[in-house]
Amino acid sequence: KPGLRIQVCVDAGRSRERRNKKGKRPTGQKRQGFHADWIAPWQFIINVFDENGKIVKSHPPIIDGSCGNIDEFFVLLRRYLDEIDLEGATEVVFCADGGPGIWSRFETLADELNLIKPVFVLDYTHAKQNMAEVTNILIKALRLSGKKAEKYRDEIGNMLWNGDIEGIERIVTRLKEEKKWRRGLSKALKKLRDYFGDHGKFQYATLKSRNIPVGSGAIESAIRRVINLRVKSPGMFWKRENLEMMIFLRSLVLTGKLAKSYDTVTGEPLKMLNNGTLEQLPLAA
């Protein structure tokens, strides 16, 4: 609706998938046995935030996830966003870490939804962690230590906050041209071009001045509560379809929507569909 400000965050957790072993059961064993490989269930959270950039707690978040590949996950996310009338929304913010494949799909999703001016922001904490690798290389190349090193960290940190990635690139390039530890500086330059290549996702000072969230703490918390505390416990191994359902049901419980997943006439649970959603569930409630 007009004036709506929403934030869409995505990330992946970790759980173990149970896959039965193929072939004849070994002699003397009562069970066939199974593989328990780690998989990365994708999860998203959609929040409403106010003019001050704070999450509106009176609007329960929408949380769900998928154990499929990243394309299947974005199809699921698209279905949820289609349930929200984004036409005329003041802000639609997409936030995540620098994981491969996320940002190109965010951009495609924004185009498909006909969003006029979507905002893309790479989580500030992840940006700082990755910029720390570059800063450490620069400090080593300049042979700084103690207070001088800390002061230099602050300077690079301020440049990151202000989105001056080009300025940091110029520093690295100049040092490399001066033949100061070329190997390390080549690594720093690669990090800047690969991880920090799209400078628009790092304009934190500008975004903060517009009261737009610059962190993905909401999805980190959702993954902890949905996946880590429920399906990642020691000794838990899940068939993929059961894990998919558990993530969905756990999300309903934590967002207070489980009670709404029952038919208001018969009182019976709504039919669970094969794609892991409940029939006629009011997604945006």
Side-chain angles (χ1 to χ4, degrees):
K1 64 181 180 179
L4 186 69
R5 305 181 87 199
I6 72 168
Q7 182 192 42
V8 181
C9 293
V10 310
D11 203 353
R14 280 173 65 79
S15 184
R16 302 192 92 157
E17 179 186 15
R18 176 173 178 148
R19 292 186 297 107
N20 292 333
K21 291 182 178 180
K22 297 181 180 180
K24 186 178 179 180
R25 186 179 66 195
T27 303
Q29 291 191 12
K30 295 181 179 180
R31 298 180 177 84
Q32 179 68 19
F34 59 89
H35 300 285
D37 299 326
W38 285 102
I39 61 173
W42 286 93
Q43 194 172 343
F44 67 78
I45 183 169
I46 304 172
N47 272 312
V48 177
F49 64 98
D50 60 21
E51 64 277 5
N52 297 315
K54 302 296 183 182
I55 299 297
V56 180
K57 295 183 178 180
S58 60
H59 290 267
I62 300 172
I63 304 174
D64 202 355
S66 171
C67 298
N69 59 42
I70 190 171
D71 289 318
E72 294 170 335
F73 168 73
F74 269 85
V75 168
L76 177 65
L77 175 57
R78 167 70 188 272
R79 289 184 61 246
Y80 275 87
L81 290 174
D82 282 338
E83 292 289 331
I84 305 172
D85 185 6
L86 297 177
E87 185 176 354
T90 303
E91 304 283 358
V92 180
V93 181
F94 295 94
C95 185
D97 60 18
I102 295 176
W103 293 102
S104 60
R105 288 173 174 82
F106 266 157
E107 292 168 0
T108 299
L109 183 60
D111 289 339
E112 292 174 349
L113 294 170
N114 297 317
L115 300 180
I116 299 175
K117 289 185 178 181
V119 178
F120 302 104
V121 52
L122 196 147
D123 171 61
Y124 182 51
T125 298
H126 283 88
K128 287 193 296 183
Q129 291 171 350
N130 280 270
M131 187 58 76
E133 297 179 25
V134 176
T135 306
N136 289 337
I137 291 173
L138 291 174
I139 288 174
K140 190 170 183 178
L142 293 169
R143 299 180 181 180
L144 301 177
S145 61
K147 292 184 178 180
K148 290 184 178 180
E150 289 304 313
K151 183 179 179 181
Y152 200 74
R153 290 184 195 279
D154 291 340
E155 291 176 0
I156 298 297
N158 289 333
M159 293 177 74
L160 171 62
W161 176 253
N162 289 292
D164 190 11
I165 308 300
E166 291 181 350
I168 299 173
E169 282 188 29
R170 286 194 295 270
I171 293 173
V172 176
T173 302
R174 187 185 71 248
L175 290 175
K176 187 178 178 183
E177 290 173 350
E178 293 174 359
K179 301 180 180 180
K180 293 181 180 292
W181 197 35
R182 283 187 172 181
R183 184 176 178 182
L185 291 168
S186 294
K187 181 180 177 181
L189 206 56
K190 186 177 187 305
K191 168 69 74 172
L192 288 170
R193 290 171 178 171
D194 292 348
Y195 194 90
F196 295 92
D198 182 358
H199 300 169
K201 299 198 296 284
F202 304 95
Q203 303 302 315
Y204 301 113
T206 300
L207 294 171
K208 202 67 176 178
S209 68
R210 294 165 54 190
N211 291 326
I212 292 176
V214 297
S216 60
I219 188 60
E220 301 285 349
S221 175
I223 286 178
R224 183 183 68 83
R225 298 171 70 199
V226 174
I227 295 179
N228 294 354
L229 295 179
R230 182 60 184 88
V231 300
K232 194 186 174 185
S233 299
M236 280 192 173
F237 313 102
W238 296 82
K239 290 186 176 180
R240 190 173 290 245
E241 61 272 19
N242 294 340
L243 177 58
E244 190 98 16
M245 296 297 183
M246 181 54 70
I247 290 174
F248 176 68
L249 291 174
R250 177 75 169 171
S251 299
L252 287 180
V253 170
L254 293 178
T255 55
K257 296 185 175 70
L258 186 61
K260 299 179 182 180
S261 65
Y262 286 80
D263 190 292
T264 56
V265 177
T266 65
E268 295 295 323
L270 294 176
K271 181 181 178 182
M272 185 75 76
L273 303 180
N274 291 333
N275 57 15
T277 62
L278 290 171
E279 190 174 32
Q280 300 175 355
L281 177 69
L283 299 177

